[in-house]
Amino acid sequence: MIFAAPWTLLALAILPLLWWLLRVTPPAPRSENFPAIRLLADLRAREETPARTPWWLLALRILAAALVIVALAGPVLDAGRALPGRGPVLLVMDNGWASATDWPRRMQAAGSMLDRAQRAGRPAALLATAPDQTGAPPAATPPMPVADLRARLATLRPEPWPSDRVGAAAALARWNHAGTAVAYLSDGVTYGADFPAFASTLSAVGPVTELCCDGPPVRLLLPPQPEADGLALRLAQTPMADPATAAVLAQSGDGRTLARSTIAVPAGAAASETKLVLPPEVRNRLARLVLEGSPSAAGVVLLDERWRRRPVGLVAGDLASAEAPLTGSLFYLRRALAPFVELREGSVASLLGRDISVLILADRPLPEGSDRTAVTQWVEKGGLLIRFAGPRTAELPIGDSDPLLPVKLLGGDRQLGGALSWSQPASLAAFPPGSPFAGLAAPAEVKVSRQVLAEPSAQLSTQTWAALADGTPLVTQTTRGAGRIVLFHVTANADWSNLPLSGLFVDMLRRLVELSVGVAGAPANMVLAPAESLDGFGVLGRPPDAATGLATDAFATTPPSPRHPAGLYGPENGRQALNLGTALPPPVAASRISGAQVEGLSATAPERALGPWLMAAALALLAIDLLISLLLRGLLRRRAVGIAAAVLVAALLGTPPAHPLETGQHPALATRLGFIATGDPQVDGIARAGLEGLSDYVNRRTAATLVEPDAVAPGETDLSFYPLLYWPVTASAQPLSPAQAAALNDYMARGGIILIDTRGSGDGEEGSGAGFAPGAEAALRRVAQGLAIPPLAPLTTEHVLARAFYLLQDFPGRFAGSGVWVQRDQDRANDSVSPVIIGANDWAAAWAVDEAGRNPYATIPGGARQRTLAYRFGVNLVMYALTGNYKGDQVHVPAILQRLGQ
Amino acid sequence: LADVTPRRGSPVRAAGPLKAEPLRAEALGAALPPLLVAAERVAATVAQGVHGRRRVGQGDSFWQFRPFVAGDAVSRIDWRQSAKSGRAAPHGWFVRETEWEAAQTVCLWRDPSGSMRWRSRLASEDKRDRAGLLLLALASLLLRGGERVALIDTPLRTVHGRVGLERLADTMMRAPDDDTGLPPTLALPRYATVALLGDFLSPLDEIQAAVGRLAAIPVRGHLLQVLDPAEAVLPYEGRIRFRGLEREADALVPRVESIRSAYVERLAAQQEGLATIARAAGFGFSVHRTDHAPETALLALYTALAVR
């Protein structure tokens, strides 16, 4: 601790004088009017001892005076080392994308450097090394008083693009003030090969104090690779000595978390990846991936249409031969599409029963009937129908023209080449510019030997996306309603052409599937205007002034800059994302500036001036002194003093934050819910937040009053206080110990209710939670071994649980659609209450409420209605736990009334 | 009624509350019979009253028969008595004469000094209001008894009859403050009765002079010392600066509790002196505390002044 004005401390010497003065001055007397004063007139002579100020009051006053003196001396706690030199202090701050993660610490460190400059009375200047929003290269401010510079520093923000080392070096070269001390706040990344030149220019300016190098590693979330059943999340970072983990949140467009995945980064590794498995419907709702932790543009990847997953339905004409290897009509399609889309097979009706984006009919005519109607409706709503020709299509009766073909076909097929033909199998022409295949190379070895022919018409050329070298169309298309129909004039197997054998087939299908959400692929050289851009903290907002449009083919190669900030480009229905990690090189840790004095960022704790606090304490003491003096003089009643003291204490302590739920009571004194702790902090956190949200909802909607929920451990906690236990079962759950099982069995036998939630189910199960919790069924079986679980039956709307408070038709949580199981037989001994309820809907996540009162976890398939129903199920559950079969009795009311003769 | 009592120090006294004081005073005196003042000699007035003057004059009581003299009205002859004498007219004629009955004049005084406008936290009413209430209650009783009542004030105006009470109250309310604390020297009717209500905290010799002047008129009467309970027991503690109400010098008392007994002794001495002065002048003396009921003081005044 140092004093800014140490001479003021000499004033402490007058304290003894003050003590003496206060001692000899008696306290001021009370005044009273008194008529009989004449009788008192000379009585006072008999009093000997003069009144003295009490010693403790004296000490209080002396303490207040001492506090004032010390406060005026300006004590500063945690003052830093003085900077060398006598000239201005140049603050060089890296504010490229890597600086955002610990930006508050950086600002604090910069502030403490300015504190030092201010204490030494030196002017200061600021050089931010990243280009600003207008794209202007870095430039140092002129030296100015520290107070003025603070205002400039306060407006400094981390930018979502790299620092400009060349521009910063040029700005440093222009700096010509003698005696400069440089304070360099490095973000620890080189941003390219120009760092050594920058470093040498920096040390040429003056003695450098570098603040760096104790922060977290610089991490850059790279765009994920789409995989068959999920996304490969990739992370690049500066290597660290210790292994670490990074959590990635997959979020929907409204910022709610759909899934969370952890990437383990081994020691010394510069990159790592993990796989995020997501069901296709959920993947289509993904809008961004966010690195958990401090917000930063480098930790955000915006996902546009390219990452969406589109379920594709496959229907073959000849079911018998469709599966045959190498010759079956679906064999090549399946091989081409499986890596990047989800394939579904079945009848037309069953496929259209679920949401699919693309329907592929391989030589499958659609005769008039329900199938044709269903497909027509689906196409007109926006589906993409891809058809492949074949013998069945070619043999179509002339009179029955299929309306679900883009062009009218001539009867029969055309054979090119063969034993009895002069013609040769035709190769492909270059793809026309308006076609989605434009830009794909047509390999010469792709030959078409048979095809169906389109009836010539005026629109045929505009409907053609691919043609043979002789001009006959190979792929034709038309739009129908909001959807589109595409016809390959060849088969989907190698019978008519060797197109399915080439890599071109895969690319063509991929581009077609990308069309399927209705987004026409933008032409290669179309320039997309910036729509929204990320700021340095990864928040989408208005693009900076310097932002200009970007050609669609440059997205993969353009590094972020003020002209092309990371963000979303293009029109509303065809946004394309430019991400920070796409074209940036992996971050390389910057070496330290040679000859620099290195200080850690967190070592520079902010200087704390104690003066104002001491002054406040002195004022408080004087206020207390005033109260005491007034009390001694009788100008205040004791009650008034009490009130004043209470007001003073309340003002000093402030009001404690209000919490909607009461806490801290013994479980026996209030009703509360409980959850069985799993040991996984994230799952336990969700369970606690969920039960808090449910308790709050129940308190608001019903007469029941619940307080803060508890985590319980069976076998250790006394379970008898909890009417309902929520038990999230994770895939890694271990079997119960005999003591735990005994405690839970005892709990159930005595009327307790356990809600067992597997929080999703494995792949292929029913409900929207399928695929979220692989292995949960096995875990459930494992943990339930020791439990006395009665025979179960699905929960129906007839059950009391479906009408204990609200009348419910289904029982969703975060997921919907999977069954809920309750006790099958009515057990009169236990009031017919099911001791266990088993489901997979992840109710706690739907109930969960964060500190800001929001629901942090998105419901799937989604909607406010689903969350409301989830809460209602929770209310019913609590009512069921609290009132048993009370509501069930109402079933008998008509019979009772009848018996009474009413 | 207490609610409409005029507040101490209110600058304008409205007409309504003026009526309230006499009403309250009458209510206070309603429990006692009309007061006839005991008077061996009655102030020389011509007012008809109840005090016989032992000589011929206006009155209802028979006094004597005297022989008819020329000039007496024929209607005044008592024919029955004349007939019993048996002598010839006009020597046998007798005239009936009645005794002169006159009313006594009672002069009342309430200390209008600043020290009376005070009350401590122990009392609910200040001394001046209490003294005024007692004075009006006494006047009400006297007026009901047919006596004449005057306020010792300039000019001295005597009132009688039921309506006199309001005029008396009006005069009393309008009386200016006077910090001497002693009754003024006025030409009171001789042999009148006086009642003096005040705190009598002035030096004893001043009080003795004032009472002596009254006794020399001559009048007889009663002194009632009205004290606040705080003045009686001095209930303060600690270091207190006392301030007088009549521009006396302040008195700083370091520890009030240490002088309490001395003060009480001194107050007792003052009261002793007052009693002595009153006795010497033929006056009665009593003490009233404002935390006690006013009925007790009124009864004391009644018994002191009434015919025994």
Side-chain angles (χ1 to χ4, degrees), chain A residues 339-565:
Chain A
F340 65 95
V341 298
E342 188 203 6
L343 290 178
R344 295 175 189 170
E345 292 176 42
S347 68
V348 170
S350 69
L351 285 177
L352 294 185
R354 295 177 64 187
D355 282 345
I356 59 172
S357 300
V358 181
L359 180 63
I360 298 182
L361 303 178
D363 196 16
R364 165 83 155 75
L366 282 174
E368 217 160 333
S370 63
D371 277 3
R372 184 191 279 184
T373 322
V375 173
T376 309
Q377 282 175 354
W378 172 76
V379 169
E380 281 173 355
K381 281 197 297 185
L384 174 65
L385 175 66
I386 301 176
R387 305 187 68 171
F388 284 85
R392 291 156 183 270
T393 316
E395 284 160 18
L396 208 66
I398 299 295
D400 181 19
S401 75
D402 188 344
L404 288 174
L405 286 173
V407 292
K408 276 194 170 169
L409 295 181
L410 297 174
D413 55 51
R414 171 200 186 200
Q415 185 140 21
L416 301 161
L420 295 175
S421 171
W422 283 273
S423 59
Q424 295 296 316
S427 57
L428 294 180
F431 294 110
S435 146
F437 312 130
L440 293 179
E445 67 269 19
V446 174
K447 299 289 186 191
V448 175
S449 54
R450 259 178 109 174
Q451 66 167 160
V452 291
L453 284 174
E455 201 173 280
S457 72
Q459 294 88 29
L460 185 59
S461 63
T462 59
Q463 290 183 322
T464 304
W465 275 353
L468 297 182
D470 60 0
T472 52
L474 179 67
V475 180
T476 53
Q477 59 87 29
T478 188
T479 53
R480 184 70 52 84
R484 192 182 288 273
I485 303 172
V486 177
L487 172 69
F488 278 77
H489 290 234
V490 293
T491 52
N493 58 12
D495 282 354
W496 285 19
S497 73
N498 60 0
L499 176 67
L501 304 179
S502 75
L504 179 64
F505 188 61
V506 178
D507 288 339
M508 288 173 80
L509 285 177
R510 178 177 289 212
R511 290 205 173 185
L512 282 179
V513 171
E514 277 182 8
L515 281 179
S516 63
V517 284
V519 182
N525 283 322
M526 190 170 153
V527 174
L528 298 179
E532 292 176 286
S533 76
L534 294 176
D535 68 4
F537 295 113
V539 179
L540 276 178
R542 216 171 64 84
D545 303 334
T548 57
L550 186 61
T552 44
D553 54 356
F555 270 79
T557 55
T558 308
S561 64
R563 285 175 60 76
H564 304 299

Side-chain angles (χ1 to χ4, degrees), chain A residues 177-193:
Chain A
H177 295 276
T180 303
V182 180
Y184 175 46
L185 271 84
S186 163
D187 58 13
V189 187
T190 56
Y191 297 117

Side-chain angles (χ1 to χ4, degrees), chain A residues 71 119 352 457 492 505 539 727 739 780 797 807 815 853 870:
Chain A
R119 231 180 26 249
L352 294 185
S457 72
F505 188 61
V539 179
W727 188 2
L780 178 60
T797 55
L807 292 176
F815 308 123

